Amino acid sequence: MGDGERTQGALPDGDPAEVDTLRLTEAQLLGTVLAVSAEITRLEAIRVRLMDAVDSRCRVDTLGHPNANAWLAAHTMLEPWAAGRIVNLARGLRSQPAIAGKFYGCRMSADHAGLILRFCERPPKGMPLSALDPVLDALLTAADGPQARTDVIREGIAKVERIFESDEHPASEDLDRNELHASKTLNGRVSVKGDLDAVTGEMLLTALSKLAAPRPATDGARDERTPGRRRADAFTELLSRYLAAGLNGTEAGERPHITVQVRARDLAYARGADRTGGTSGTGGTDRAGGTDRAGDSGAHVSATGPSGGARPTSAEDWAAVLAETGVAWAAWMGPLTITAARHLSCDAQVSTVILDDHGAPLDVGLTSRTATRRQRRALAVRDGGCAFPGCGAPASWCEGHHIVHWVNGGLTDMDNLVLLCGFHHRLIHHDGWEVQIGDDRHPWFIPPPSVDPFRKPLPSHSRRAGPAAA
């Protein structure tokens, strides 16, 4: 009798949402978690065995799908790749009774069974057939029970590959297996999926390690971001630094760069303004002294419907409003919000291309930089790195943010610039924070009402951490 069968009586019944964990003692709580985990292991083994039979016996006309994994994914909450992994494991276990015995006996996880199975399917070329069985026994011993760890099994496989080393790369170092997919999704995001060799994986994880570390606040509050969010932010920062360094050669005669097309009047239009005749509860985020300069640029779009009065209601009126309302366009990703375009243009090279009413170029202006090297050095001295309270990331990691956006008439001078790391630059543009230059000629940060209902200005990181903070 397996572990799962011995513990079934301890499993809670009914709706999981109605399980009253408060009625359990700590000992009962721990025991129940172990019992549930054992039952999951048992049921997972049963599912693989059943899917082996489905894959072997059920025809396409019975399944109603091209194959067994497509059928499983269609009728469960499993993703296609997860369903495929189950079916592939079932197929592989047919020819490996030793591995199947351990897995179906609930002595080995599906991940470890798949790892050893792949080794047996493609053993090192230099290993004689007589060595396979004793090596397999050793790997199965390492994978047995709850104390088994993936790194130990992988280390054993690596040692075998080292002993019988040949000109062929082991699976973990086979560059021909490397894949990286980056696909646009329907909601305008990018889904990234990859399978990398050990060396490339080590380089990636090393590059992300420092950038993905938790960033506790100065008051000691822990970083609320999940590990996945921290790694995503680190990856964004990694790409930003790489492109800024200009290390990837030239493309079409210039260094590869992010290209965004946007109309000047859309870029100048205040964030949160309602073009449909209503009013918005949020003002622009790029302000100094509480004054939004969107009107100073001369770029203005009527806040009423095409009829000149109330909010549009008909489909025709809405079509006219949507035709008038612009968005930014990126070369690869397509439409971006104006907020994202303002963020990207804060610290970038800007080339002006004047178009006629039909979108044909009339004139191409010179490329200009929004902040000079001398200004960036001065900002590094004043702000000491990222100025956002509690951050202080090095100046070399930071971007120059225009407090009043340059397209709204903001000047590229010290009283209108602040250094921000990529994470806090996005925060300023998207999450309602505002920046002002105070009487001390240093930046002060005004939190949104969701952070501080009283919106008390906070001094920059260097001012809080330095002598002036006292």
Side-chain angles (χ1 to χ4, degrees):
M1 183 168 58
D3 292 343
E5 295 174 1
R6 287 196 297 268
T7 57
Q8 284 188 61
L11 299 181
D13 297 323
D15 189 338
E18 297 178 357
V19 175
D20 189 359
T21 58
L22 296 178
R23 297 176 64 88
L24 299 174
T25 66
E26 291 183 357
Q28 290 173 327
L29 188 63
L30 296 175
T32 303
V33 169
L34 295 179
V36 170
S37 299
E39 183 67 2
I40 290 172
T41 299
R42 188 180 73 87
L43 291 174
E44 186 175 37
I46 292 175
R47 180 169 63 180
V48 172
R49 186 183 287 274
L50 291 172
M51 285 308 300
D52 180 25
V54 170
D55 184 54
S56 301
R57 294 165 48 189
C58 297
R59 298 180 302 179
V60 172
D61 56 346
T62 304
L63 293 172
H65 291 272
N67 48 52
N69 41 301
W71 171 84
L72 183 61
H75 291 84
T76 66
M77 290 186 287
L78 291 171
E79 292 291 329
W81 64 266
R85 188 174 66 171
I86 291 171
V87 174
N88 289 335
L89 177 60
R91 291 172 181 170
L93 291 176
R94 296 173 194 167
S95 58
Q96 294 291 339
I99 304 176
K102 284 280 188 180
F103 174 71
Y104 289 134
C106 300
R107 297 299 305 170
M108 182 169 55
S109 71
D111 288 337
H112 292 165
L115 182 61
I116 298 175
L117 190 61
R118 285 190 293 272
F119 169 79
C120 292
E121 290 172 346
R122 292 189 62 179
K125 281 189 174 181
M127 187 174 75
L129 186 61
S130 60
L132 182 57
D133 286 342
V135 168
L136 176 57
D137 289 342
L139 294 176
L140 291 176
T141 300
D144 184 270
Q147 303 303 319
R149 293 295 177 265
T150 302
D151 285 346
V152 175
I153 301 171
R154 289 187 62 246
E155 182 184 18
I157 292 174
K159 287 179 178 179
V160 174
E161 291 170 339
R162 172 68 182 87
I163 293 171
F164 300 107
E165 191 170 14
S166 66
D167 292 336
E168 183 181 84
H169 292 291
S172 61
E173 299 173 15
D174 187 355
L175 298 180
D176 291 337
R177 298 189 182 195
N178 284 7
E179 291 183 332
L180 183 63
H181 304 279
S183 307
K184 287 194 297 183
T185 63
L186 292 177
N187 63 348
R189 297 178 64 82
V190 170
S191 175
V192 179
K193 179 183 177 182
D195 181 11
L196 305 175
D197 66 277
V199 175
T200 304
E202 183 70 16
M203 288 191 291
L204 176 62
L205 296 177
T206 299
L208 294 178
S209 176
K210 173 66 176 178
L211 299 177
R215 285 198 295 253
T218 51
D219 60 1
R222 69 184 185 90
D223 192 335
E224 296 292 338
R225 296 175 299 159
T226 64
R229 171 63 190 275
R230 295 203 312 268
R231 284 192 293 271
D233 289 343
F235 191 60
T236 301
E237 182 66 24
L238 197 65
L239 295 176
S240 177
R241 294 188 194 180
Y242 177 71
L243 291 175
L247 300 176
N248 49 341
T250 61
E251 184 177 45
E254 58 183 343
R255 293 190 313 189
H257 58 281
I258 297 175
T259 300
V260 176
Q261 301 176 28
V262 60
R263 296 187 305 191
R265 66 178 179 181
D266 293 316
L267 199 61
Y269 205 77
R271 179 189 178 208
D274 190 341
R275 300 185 181 203
T276 63
T279 57
S280 173
T282 60
T285 58
D286 292 331
R287 298 180 177 182
T291 302
D292 195 319
R293 300 190 186 180
D296 295 345
S297 67
H300 176 70
V301 179
S302 173
T304 62
S307 59
R311 183 189 297 271
T313 55
S314 69
E316 292 77 9
D317 284 353
W318 271 111
V321 169
L322 293 178
E324 180 65 24
T325 302
V327 295
W329 276 83
W332 289 100
M333 290 302 299
L336 297 176
T337 64
I338 298 299
T339 300
R342 291 166 71 92
H343 170 202
L344 288 171
S345 63
C346 258
D347 189 24
Q349 291 183 337
V350 179
S351 298
T352 302
V353 180
I354 301 175
L355 306 177
D356 63 16
D357 292 339
H358 302 289
L362 294 175
D363 186 31
V364 179
L366 297 176
T367 297
S368 61
R369 195 163 194 54
T370 57
T372 66
R373 292 183 179 179
R374 180 175 296 181
Q375 286 173 324
R376 286 190 64 89
R377 285 196 294 268
L379 286 170
V381 172
R382 186 195 71 185
D383 297 341
C386 178
F388 193 90
C391 183
S396 59
W397 298 5
C398 296
E399 303 160 353
H401 169 71
H402 280 71
I403 296 173
V404 177
H405 203 283
W406 54 268
V407 79
N408 292 337
L411 301 177
T412 304
D413 59 28
M414 292 296 295
D415 287 338
N416 193 43
L417 292 170
V418 59
L419 282 184
L420 296 171
C421 68
F423 174 78
H424 288 117
H425 198 178
R426 292 188 295 275
L427 190 75
I428 291 293
H429 275 279
H430 291 274
D431 288 5
W433 284 79
E434 297 177 18
V435 189
Q436 293 180 349
I437 298 296
D439 294 336
D440 58 357
R441 298 196 67 191
H442 283 263
W444 288 72
F445 293 79
I446 304 173
S450 59
V451 175
D452 178 9
F454 302 101
R455 308 202 71 191
K456 180 181 177 182
L458 302 173
S460 65
H461 176 78
S462 62
R463 301 290 279 179
R464 296 180 73 185

